[in-house]
Amino acid sequence: MTPGPRTPRKSAARALCAAILCLGLVGCQTLLNETYSPNVGPSDNPQTVGRLEKNDPRARLGAQEHPRIVASYGGEYSDPKVERLLARIVGALTLVSENPKQTYRITILNSPAVNAFALPGGYLYVTRGLLALANDSSEVAAVIAHEMAHVTANHGLQRKRAEEAEVLASRVAAEVLSNEIDGQQVIARSKLRLAAFSRQQELEADVIGVRMLGQAGFDPYAAARFLRSMEAYSRFRAGDAGADQSLDFLSSHPDAPKRLQLAERHARAFGPPGTGIRDRDMYLKGINGLLYGDSPNEGYVRGLTFLHPNLGIRFSVPKGFQIDNTAQAVLATGPGDIAIRFDGVTDNRRKSLTNYIASGWVSGLQPATIRSLRVNGLDAATARASAEKWDFDVTVIRVKNRIYRLLTAAPKGSPALEPTAQSVRNSFRKMSSSEVASLKPLRVRLHTVRAGETVAGLAGRMRGTNRRLELFQLLNALSPGASLSAGQEIKIVTDR
């Protein structure tokens, strides 16, 4: 691909990598032989959940890693309708799998990322973000069949057992924060070797998965169709400067163009397009009301504003910035390679905020710049720090027994540091009780298209993104220029 011009958003993304994203252990995926045999067979000794009760260290590996996977993706998401829907899909696929006696445990992860994976012992995972992107049961079945194939082919036990952590913190953490952070490390999510397969194993799982789809009566072309949707989603995410794409499906499932060709080739063995069941209506009814985007426990991003109803605080970033909300911190990037990080720590000792800034957690601190101030009626303090290529504004604000930290990074000598930091700092305030009561999570809602309604009009009802038309087309698998028909069921994202 020929690189395009260095737009402000791409430039800010590079700044995020340099000033806000982590310095950690990043594993290289082994590029194995990309050829494959269409006559892929499963293991003669597949791992079953029953073995978890025995003293098999390989089988225990899946059980041991399960809590870490769940924690890495925001916990489990509970929705009886969706759980029944997935159980029906898994049941149908199990009957045609290489080992119909294999028992599976499927977990919905409370994450907006689009991902799915498997661990030894029949542990299957799909994120609610993936469920929101899919448009019928056959597409979800395609993903689950692929992951079930990893289990029956013993792929998880063919990999090294060593864990490979990918720390997502920031250069702010490395250059401004010391290692002693009260109660929290600036570690985002870990990426386990158990959840990333080799290229050859992915191709094998694709072959087995498409066969399972067709034999279970699902549309075998769903695998290729949903791969296209995930590619489109990946491009959409690439436009959000701070987005953590390492948690998405395609980041650990390489060679999407080749996989598309292979999936379509193997689907043709079951007939022409249109073969098999899609089960669109039942699927869409099953995900109606599905939580979308940020979890209430992590706060919400609404345009240029971050709001946390549980903590009762909010702040905004300047126009032209993009916000990415994670379980560990809120990151924002904008023009001029400016980056912002927001997080909070518990402070039961109630030390003065000027003393807190000077207590050793900020490296490169310029002590003479420390000063106290008030921000919208709240006690606060601010200071400057510097690193090799970066200048930082450090602002701390107390609300009850919490200290909230706003770190703004800019290239050394940038005149934009002070106005940006001041704008964000001055926007921080406590939310009113009416604001908290009115803030609702985003959900996927079904809408039946009426005569005269257009793509642009319905996209205008979308909430939670500045790119409404793109997201509407993406969630409904609509190509640019596509029109809608009266009576058609579509998905919108709304807080109503």
Side-chain angles (χ1 to χ4, degrees), residues 157-174:
L157 302 181
Q158 295 169 8
R159 291 167 292 168
K160 294 181 180 179
R161 296 181 184 180
E163 174 184 336
E164 183 175 85
E166 181 177 316
V167 180
L168 299 175
S170 64
R171 190 178 243 174
V172 170

Side-chain angles (χ1 to χ4, degrees), residues 220-242:
Y221 292 87
R225 188 168 64 249
F226 196 51
L227 272 172
R228 289 192 178 90
S229 290
M230 287 189 288
E231 275 198 290
Y233 171 81
S234 182
R235 291 193 296 271
F236 177 83
R237 289 269 287 172
D240 289 337

Side-chain angles (χ1 to χ4, degrees), residues 190-205:
S190 64
K191 194 174 182 182
L192 305 181
R193 187 170 288 169
L194 285 172
F197 295 86
S198 75
R199 195 173 297 246
Q200 178 70 18
Q201 288 172 327
E202 293 297 348
L203 296 176
E204 291 177 358

Side-chain angles (χ1 to χ4, degrees), residues 90-105:
V90 171
L93 293 172
T94 300
L95 293 176
V96 298
S97 70
E98 278 74 11
N99 181 14
K101 295 182 180 181
Q102 168 75 59
T103 303
Y104 295 96
R105 172 180 178 175

Side-chain angles (χ1 to χ4, degrees), residues 112-395:
V114 173
N115 211 345
F117 39 85
L119 294 180
Y123 287 83
L124 305 175
Y125 304 86
V126 294
T127 60
R128 57 176 169 81
L130 184 144
L131 298 175
L133 181 63
N135 277 280
D136 58 50
S137 293
S138 68
E139 292 182 351
V140 175
V143 174
I144 293 176
H146 174 96
E147 301 305 333
M148 290 171 69
H150 282 310
V151 175
T152 59
N154 264 349
H155 285 163
L157 302 181
Q158 295 169 8
R159 291 167 292 168
K160 294 181 180 179
R161 296 181 184 180
E163 174 184 336
E164 183 175 85
E166 181 177 316
V167 180
L168 299 175
S170 64
R171 190 178 243 174
V172 170
E175 297 185 49
V176 178
L177 308 183
S178 74
N179 291 329
E180 297 180 0
I181 298 174
D182 182 23
Q184 291 186 359
Q185 298 296 321
V186 282
I187 297 175
R189 301 168 180 121
S190 64
K191 194 174 182 182
L192 305 181
R193 187 170 288 169
L194 285 172
F197 295 86
S198 75
R199 195 173 297 246
Q200 178 70 18
Q201 288 172 327
E202 293 297 348
L203 296 176
E204 291 177 358
D206 283 345
V207 174
I208 298 172
V210 172
R211 181 198 61 73
M212 290 171 62
L213 267 185
Q215 291 187 355
F218 290 108
D219 175 11
Y221 292 87
R225 188 168 64 249
F226 196 51
L227 272 172
R228 289 192 178 90
S229 290
M230 287 189 288
E231 275 198 290
Y233 171 81
S234 182
R235 291 193 296 271
F236 177 83
R237 289 269 287 172
D240 289 337
D244 180 10
Q245 296 182 64
S246 71
L247 297 181
D248 295 332
F249 188 86
L250 292 182
S251 68
S252 57
H253 292 67
D255 265 354
K258 175 180 289 187
R259 296 179 67 211
L260 274 167
Q261 296 174 2
L262 298 179
E264 289 179 339
R265 184 203 309 174
H266 288 285
R268 284 194 288 271
F270 294 92
T275 301
I277 298 171
R278 290 194 178 187
D279 197 21
R280 176 179 167 83
D281 291 342
M282 182 175 291
Y283 180 76
L284 292 180
K285 289 177 182 177
I287 66 167
N288 189 28
L290 182 74
L291 183 67
Y292 185 85
D294 298 328
S295 166
N297 293 331
E298 296 178 2
Y300 305 118
V301 173
R302 296 290 188 268
L304 297 174
T305 301
F306 173 76
L307 310 98
H308 202 304
N310 294 351
L311 300 176
I313 54 97
R314 60 177 289 169
F315 69 90
S316 299
V317 298
K319 185 177 180 180
F321 275 69
Q322 294 276 359
I323 304 179
D324 184 49
N325 183 24
T326 74
Q328 287 70 33
V330 179
L331 304 176
T333 55
D337 288 357
I338 307 291
I340 299 164
R341 177 189 171 94
F342 170 81
D343 65 8
V345 296
T346 300
D347 175 40
N348 292 320
R349 299 177 63 183
R350 306 287 294 183
K351 66 174 65 173
S352 75
L353 293 179
T354 53
N355 287 341
Y356 174 72
I357 286 184
S359 63
W361 62 278
V362 180
S363 52
L365 180 69
Q366 300 170 5
T369 65
I370 300 175
R371 63 187 179 92
S372 60
L373 69 160
R374 300 278 288 178
V375 173
N376 292 315
L378 300 170
D379 288 334
T382 186
R384 287 293 182 90
S386 63
E388 181 181 354
K389 297 180 180 179
W390 302 92
D391 288 331
F392 301 92
D393 179 278
V394 182
T395 296

